[in-house]
Each structure stands twice: as C-alpha cells, then as structure tokens.
Amino acid sequence: MSTANAPTRWRSVLPHLDQPLPPDRTPHPQGATGIQVSLPLELVRQSVQPKEYWDIPAEVADAYRVFRPTPLWRARAFERAVDARVPIYVKYEGGNISGSHKLNTALAQAYYYARAGVRELVTGTGAGQWGTALAAACALFGMKCTVFMVGTSLHHKPHRGTLMRTLGAQVHASPSNLTDIARQSTTGVNSLSLAIGEAVEYAARTDGAAFCIGSGETYSILHQSVIGLEAADQLTALDARIDTVVGCVGAGSNFGGIALPFFAAATAAGTRPPHLVAAESATTPKLTRGTYAYDRTDATGTGPMEAMYTIGSSYPIPDAHAAGLRFHGAAKVLSAMRHRDQITATAVGQVQALQAGRLFTRGEMVLPAPESGHALAAAARLAGAGTDTAHGPLRAQRGVLVCVSGHGYLDLSAYQQLMDGELTDDSPDPQALRAAVRGLNRIQQPTRPAPATAPPPRHTLATPHEATATAGSRP
C-alpha cells in the first residue's frame, strides 16, 4: 500500500483541452424570470479560467489532512478472482465521514460559501453520499444544511438520513410537500433531477441560503483532482505502470477526479494519455447511448442549459442499485471530451457491478459502494479478456488504475438482494430513450475556438469578502 503527501494545489484540465467548452444557454426567453443559482466568484473563476493550478485554501487543506492522502494499493486478490492479465491498482476514497470522494469538494464549497456570507446550504442527493459530505462540511464551517434526498433511496438506506441528521442537517424525502415543483409533478417519480429541483426552489425562497451541488460542475471536478494527483505520485513511488484509468460516472466528479489529472499531465508533457474509461450504469447510459445536446440539469428547468451527453431530463430512470450514477446527463467537461474521443465509456448492469463488488470485498477486505462496483466490473473487463466499448475492443496492456469512490456499508441491502437472487438487469427501452431527447438542440460538430475573454457572469450575490456570480445547477 502506498501513501503520499496531500496535494496543496488543485489541477485544472481546462488549459489542456483542444477546444473550449460550449457556452451555457439560458432556458428563458428575453425578459422571462426564473429561479437563479448563485455562486461565489472563486467557484466561477475555477469554472471558466484556463488556469492550470489553483492553491487549496489553508482551512480546506487542514480539513483534508484528517483523511488525505487516501490509500492506493495493488489489488492482487481481486486480480486473481477476475483472472487479470495485468496489475490492477485501487485508489480508495471511502475512509472519511461521508464514506466517499464527495467530501473533497464539499469542504471546498462550504469554505467559499461561508466566506461569501451564506448561512445555509441546500442540496439534492441521490444515494446520500453528497448530502452526508455537505452536512459534514457545513458542520465544520458553522453553517446550516438542508438536504432533499431521493425518496426511494432514503427508504432503502434510512441510516444515511440518520448520519446526516447526526451532523446537524435537515433531511427531506423527495418528492416532498415543501416545494411547488414536487406538488406540481404529475409523475410522482423519485429522481435526482427532482430532488435537485426541490433544493433549488427551497434555497431561492430561504433568506441566507444558497443552493450547492457537488458532482458535474467544472469547479467540483477541479476539487476532485486531488484524487488523481495523489494517485500519480503513489504509482511513481511503487514504480508502477498503467495505461488505463477507470472511474464510475454519475455526473462525473469521481471519474474526472481520478482521470483528468493524468490527461493534463500527458498533454502538458506532449505524450499520449492513458485510456480514460468511464463506467456508467446500464440503466442510465448517457455516455454510451445518449445524445450530445443542450439539456437542463434539474427538474425546475430554470438554470442554464448545458451541453452534455444526456438521455433526457424527462427520461423515467428505472430503479436500480446504481445510486449516484442515476443522473440523466454527464458533466459538460466530460461530455466535450467524450465528443472528441478523449475519453471512452462502458455501461455496467447492477448485477455485474454488485458481483464485482462482492469479489472485491472477499479478496481485498473492503466493501465498495454499488457505484464503485460499476468501476470494478469495468476494470475487471479491461484487465482480463477485454471489453467492447463504444469505440471498439479496448484492452489494458500494462496496468489498470481504478477509483473505488466510496464504501458500501450503508448499501448492504443491495448485496443481500444479490445473494438472494432478487436482482435483474433490464435494458432501457430504445423508443423511450429517443422520445426523451426528442426536441433537444443537438451538437453535431466540435465547437469553435474560444473568444479572447469569457463572457461575464450574469448575476451577483452580495458578500462581505468578494464579488460573486452565478452558474448552472448540477448533482
């Protein structure tokens, strides 16, 4: 097992992209109004400026040192269990209070919002890892926290709610009776998009509160770069060689955190980056079966439309043990890179994911979250007989690095259902997928070069320390 020093800077991939990201679009006609999402200015800067390194604030770095650096090891028992031809290295992010990588950005965001004078952070969460991370960060920085958690997930994992409440958060099952968007919902569907929409609406009408989200936004992926930066140092210390990096994808912060620092390092050195493989849920196959188009990021439809690979925000995602992977779209950074063949993707069903998680548990004595099981299943394919991806057969030749983004101790019911033979995998209906993206503004060609300067942010949030501006919402 290898450790390293915790990074003192985050590393951005933006300076290393060959083209700029497509600009966000407002969903409202000229003069129309809607709920607005405000961000501290530093988070806006981190989203748009092509600056490579960003200093981690001292208060955030101190909080990181409680659980970072996180361990990396060669998973030899798992290699034997899956008949791997090449080494498999695991970067484990489940050893903090939230049980996942989500705490890396939750601490950073709570710090910036607190400096901006915000007294309460409001969010939506699927499996509860992000809600738990934000509750912990708010407790550390003396802020209130309100969480809307997907109702079916909260029902299956009530102890997630207990942990968030122990940390001082208010937790509401979504759909709730607290928001207009939930009351007006005609489907009654339990979805992350709706939970986020409830959080956006609730924050907009609550004095001193701000909506906060932690997965697909460019600044949250930047904060997660500590994962890949540490992993690169740890692999060097082990004299290990890899040519493939795997992470699971909901909106994209875990995969972006483990993979994009390797892309940035390779492009900066003028060398070929490793294969970057995003493992997504087969129930929510945005990168493998979705459309690259402008789509909304939450059920309110009031935030900016973002360019993303999507299966449509209206698509009724089937219930499955994929937890945080059950979001309809991928981060705009990852979507742009997918469109340019800089990353690839593979879809994994819940049965295969949990089977991989069980093999990993029995060999490595670490219980992975179901989301991480998707990454482990993909890593096993890549290190073993190979896999068919959207880009054809892909096979690791030297070694695989995989991020186990969180622990599964609050997901034991999923493993019990697996062992009881109660789980199946149903492929999404192609007609339903087509219907959900019908009418979206598709992106057919790579984007044009960026203007000399980025357009100014559209809105402001008063702060005693610095000016702030707004950006879109995302899980």
Side-chain angles (χ1 to χ4, degrees):
M1 184 176 294
S2 177
T3 59
N5 293 324
T8 59
R9 298 185 296 175
W10 297 303
R11 188 173 191 175
S12 174
V13 75
L14 293 182
H16 302 288
L17 299 181
D18 53 3
Q19 295 185 31
L21 301 180
D24 294 351
R25 295 180 178 177
T26 175
H28 302 294
Q30 186 71 26
T33 60
I35 296 171
Q36 304 298 340
V37 179
S38 296
L39 290 176
L41 182 55
E42 191 66 4
L43 295 182
V44 177
R45 292 191 186 107
Q46 292 170 2
S47 295
V48 300
Q49 289 185 2
K51 175 181 173 182
E52 184 160 13
Y53 289 101
W54 298 79
D55 290 336
I56 299 175
E59 294 90 336
V60 178
D62 287 343
Y64 279 175
R65 291 188 188 100
V66 174
F67 62 96
R68 304 210 70 87
T70 60
L72 179 145
W73 71 93
R74 181 174 174 181
R76 295 180 184 273
F78 185 63
E79 291 172 14
R80 292 191 293 271
V82 300
D83 295 325
R85 299 170 296 99
V86 297
I88 299 175
Y89 296 93
V90 172
K91 179 69 167 166
Y92 180 57
E93 290 290 308
N96 61 67
I97 182 64
S98 74
S100 82
H101 70 293
K102 299 288 189 179
L103 193 57
N104 295 323
T105 188
L107 290 167
Q109 291 190 52
Y111 166 80
Y112 289 123
Y113 276 104
R115 282 178 55 86
V118 172
R119 300 187 300 275
E120 178 181 359
L121 291 179
V122 186
T123 198
T125 190
Q129 293 174 339
W130 166 243
T132 304
L134 191 63
C138 285
L140 185 63
F141 287 103
M143 305 172 75
K144 293 176 62 178
C145 181
T146 299
V147 179
F148 289 85
M149 183 170 174
V150 173
T152 54
S153 185
L154 183 59
H155 174 75
H156 289 310
K157 290 177 278 192
H159 293 107
R160 226 3 130 172
T162 301
L163 179 54
M164 286 185 271
R165 295 184 185 99
T166 300
L167 289 164
Q170 294 290 322
V171 183
H172 305 286
S174 175
S176 73
N177 61 359
L178 300 177
T179 65
D180 290 339
I181 190 169
R183 286 188 288 267
Q184 294 168 3
S185 175
T186 58
T187 63
V189 67
N190 285 259
S191 74
L192 185 52
S193 180
L194 180 58
I196 293 168
E198 289 206 78
V200 171
E201 179 186 329
Y202 183 91
R205 68 166 191 252
T206 303
D207 185 51
F211 172 75
C212 179
I213 209 67
S215 184
E217 294 299 339
T218 305
Y219 56 82
S220 65
I221 293 175
L222 172 71
H223 303 154
Q224 297 295 352
S225 66
V226 293
I227 305 172
L229 293 170
E230 282 182 6
D233 287 345
Q234 291 167 320
L235 290 169
T236 298
L238 292 174
D239 195 26
R241 300 289 184 268
I242 57 102
D243 62 350
T244 305
V245 181
V246 184
C248 59
V249 170
S253 68
N254 165 66
F255 174 74
I258 188 69
L260 298 193
F262 286 89
F263 181 88
T267 53
T271 59
R272 183 175 180 176
H275 297 296
L276 308 179
V277 183
E280 64 182 5
S281 168
T283 66
T284 320
K286 53 261 186 176
L287 289 172
T288 54
R289 297 178 62 184
T291 298
Y292 192 34
Y294 278 93
D295 198 5
R296 60 186 187 177
T297 57
D298 67 85
T300 67
T302 56
M305 304 281 283
E306 294 186 4
M308 64 177 80
Y309 270 91
T310 177
I311 55 173
S313 57
S314 64
Y315 179 75
I317 298 171
D319 193 16
H321 290 293
L325 308 189
R326 296 174 66 249
F327 184 67
H328 66 275
K332 55 188 174 184
V333 171
L334 301 185
S335 294
M337 295 180 71
R338 171 74 173 83
H339 193 54
R340 298 164 195 162
D341 292 336
Q342 293 166 328
I343 66 173
T344 189
T346 186
V348 178
Q350 64 175 347
V351 173
Q352 187 180 22
L354 289 166
Q355 287 172 338
R358 191 180 181 207
L359 285 177
F360 188 82
T361 302
R362 295 170 70 177
E364 302 297 329
M365 299 292 115
V366 171
L367 179 70
E371 299 98 317
S372 300
H374 291 71
L376 288 168
R381 294 181 194 169
L382 292 157
T387 182
D388 289 331
T389 71
H391 291 275
L394 179 63
R395 186 179 172 99
Q397 301 298 325
R398 304 178 70 180
V400 177
L401 170 65
V402 58
C403 185
V404 173
S405 59
H407 69 63
Y409 294 110
L410 297 177
D411 300 282
L412 287 170
S413 62
Y415 283 99
Q416 186 63 56
Q417 286 183 281
L418 173 74
M419 292 183 287
D420 290 344
E422 298 176 357
L423 299 181
T424 60
D425 284 312
D426 297 320
S427 180
D429 179 12
Q431 291 185 345
L433 288 175
R434 286 193 295 270
V437 298
R438 188 175 296 129
L440 294 181
N441 187 350
R442 302 190 182 200
I443 301 172
Q444 302 294 342
Q445 301 295 332
T447 54
R448 293 189 177 94
T453 57
R458 294 183 295 111
H459 309 286
T460 59
L461 169 68
T463 164
H465 297 289
E466 60 178 359
T468 63
T470 69
S473 57
R474 172 81 71 160

